[in-house]
């Protein structure tokens, strides 16, 4: 079965500090994609970062990086130098080659000034 | 039990046709959404209904019309389909209410892949 689990419903981090959001998944496929989406109050979904499973190198986008552990089926998101604008809901998602995508339930991130 | 279910999973149709995608949630949530996922996997919100009232209506062609017969259903009707409408459409729901905030968890359906030929 294809599943995505975000075990942290809420997290808080001090401004300028680093925070890591956890995500684990399960799929029978060997080739797939992983995503992190950010959802601000507008309810829009913003693609933060993506990782292709066949690439061993962890994806990085400015202050956002992932720790992709394929064997452990883990895909955590690290946000460095946290800013107030990073406060949002974050969704982890996993997509197989047939384009079927499954979302986690989300982690609400608070940034403390 | 599937919390948010969309039908059909796949929809292949010709240009100019009218089609509908149905969405039902059994979570008792008061807010439902439609998102469109493009080929680059960007998800864009299209509509949001709270207790059967339209609260978010992003800039989408008026060929797209959401219909919410009750709190548990939000259907998407598309008239005069165009090639560019081909995408995956996701339905979602959440409990917003007076106590919950915009940050209440969002539950997604499995998506409907629409292909217009």
């Amino acid at each position: 079965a294809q599943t995505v689990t975000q075990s942290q419903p809420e997290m808080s981090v001090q401004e300028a500090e680093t925070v890591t959001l956890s995500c684990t998944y399960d799929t029978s496929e060997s080739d797939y994609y992983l995503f992190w989406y950010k959802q601000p109050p507008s309810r829009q979904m913003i693609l933060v970062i993506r990782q292709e499973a066949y690439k061993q190198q962890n994806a990085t986008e400015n202050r956002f990086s992932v720790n992709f552990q394929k064997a452990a089926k883990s895909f955590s998101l690290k946000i460095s130098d946290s800013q107030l604008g990073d406060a949002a809901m974050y969704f982890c998602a996993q997509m197989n080659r047939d384009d079927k995508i499954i979302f986690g339930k989300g982690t609400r991130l608070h940034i403390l000034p | 039990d599937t919390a948010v279910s969309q039908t059909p999973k796949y929809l292949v149709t010709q240009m100019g046709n009218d089609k509908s995608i149905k969405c039902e949630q059994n979570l008792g949530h008061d807010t439902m959404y439609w998102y469109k996922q493009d080929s680059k996997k960007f998800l864009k919100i299209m509509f949001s209904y709270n207790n059967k009232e339209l609260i978010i209506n992003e800039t989408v062609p008026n060929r797209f019309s959401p219909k919410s017969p009750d709190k548990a259903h939000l259907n998407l009707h598309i008239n005069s389909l165009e090639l560019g409408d081909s995408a995956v459409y996701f339905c979602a729901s959440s409990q917003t209410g007076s106590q919950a905030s915009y940050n209440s968890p969002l539950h997604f359906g499995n998506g409907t892949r629409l292909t217009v030929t």
Side-chain angles (χ1 to χ4, degrees):
Chain A
Q2 190 180 2
T3 61
V4 175
T5 303
Q6 292 178 249
S7 58
Q8 306 147 317
E10 289 194 61
M11 292 193 71
S12 297
V13 63
Q14 209 74 38
E15 194 176 1
E17 296 293 311
T18 295
V19 64
T20 299
L21 308 184
S22 301
C23 175
T24 57
Y25 61 93
D26 194 14
T27 178
S28 58
E29 304 291 319
S30 59
D31 193 14
Y32 49 86
Y33 295 93
L34 295 159
F35 307 91
W36 276 99
Y37 288 93
K38 172 185 176 182
Q39 188 184 58
S42 67
R43 284 299 198 181
Q44 193 57 274
M45 293 284 274
I46 301 166
L47 181 59
V48 174
I49 201 165
R50 77 179 78 194
Q51 173 85 39
E52 290 153 308
Y54 69 86
K55 290 186 177 179
Q56 292 187 342
Q57 187 173 6
N58 288 327
T60 299
E61 288 288 340
N62 301 313
R63 296 183 296 106
F64 297 86
S65 61
V66 298
N67 183 4
F68 174 44
Q69 302 288 329
K70 190 172 184 179
K73 294 183 178 175
S74 170
F75 183 61
S76 59
L77 175 69
K78 186 171 83 171
I79 306 174
S80 304
D81 185 24
S82 298
Q83 299 174 1
L84 294 178
D86 294 334
M89 281 286 275
Y90 286 83
F91 291 90
C92 178
Q94 185 263 325
M95 186 180 76
N96 290 336
R97 280 292 181 182
D98 62 0
D99 280 354
K100 183 180 177 187
I101 188 168
I102 298 293
F103 293 89
K105 291 290 186 282
T107 296
R108 179 180 178 185
L109 179 63
H110 302 271
I111 309 296
L112 307 174
Chain B
D1 286 343
T2 303
V4 180
S5 60
Q6 296 177 227
T7 53
K9 288 185 179 180
Y10 300 96
L11 182 55
V12 181
T13 188
Q14 291 184 326
M15 284 176 56
N17 285 346
D18 302 339
K19 290 293 179 185
S20 292
I21 307 172
K22 296 184 177 182
C23 180
E24 176 182 3
Q25 54 96 3
N26 62 9
L27 298 167
H29 288 167
D30 61 1
T31 306
M32 297 184 71
Y33 312 81
W34 276 106
Y35 289 86
K36 178 181 179 181
Q37 186 184 47
D38 63 20
S39 58
K40 294 183 179 179
K41 308 311 171 192
F42 293 108
L43 268 175
K44 296 183 180 179
I45 193 168
M46 301 172 69
F47 302 102
S48 173
Y49 267 73
N50 177 268
N51 284 320
K52 295 173 57 181
E53 287 189 25
L54 184 65
I55 57 172
I56 294 176
N57 184 5
E58 294 295 315
T59 306
V60 298
N62 56 16
R63 297 181 294 104
F64 291 79
S65 56
K67 289 194 171 39
S68 182
D70 54 57
K71 274 185 5 174
H73 296 83
L74 181 62
N75 303 324
L76 184 65
H77 190 74
I78 315 171
N79 289 329
S80 303
L81 278 156
E82 300 177 358
L83 293 177
D85 298 332
S86 296
V88 181
Y89 293 84
F90 285 93
C91 177
S93 73
S94 70
Q95 181 60 30
T96 307
S98 59
Q99 299 299 322
S101 69
Y102 72 89
N103 276 327
S104 50
L106 207 63
H107 294 252
F108 283 93
N110 289 332
T112 295
R113 172 166 289 284
L114 171 64
T115 303
V116 182
T117 61

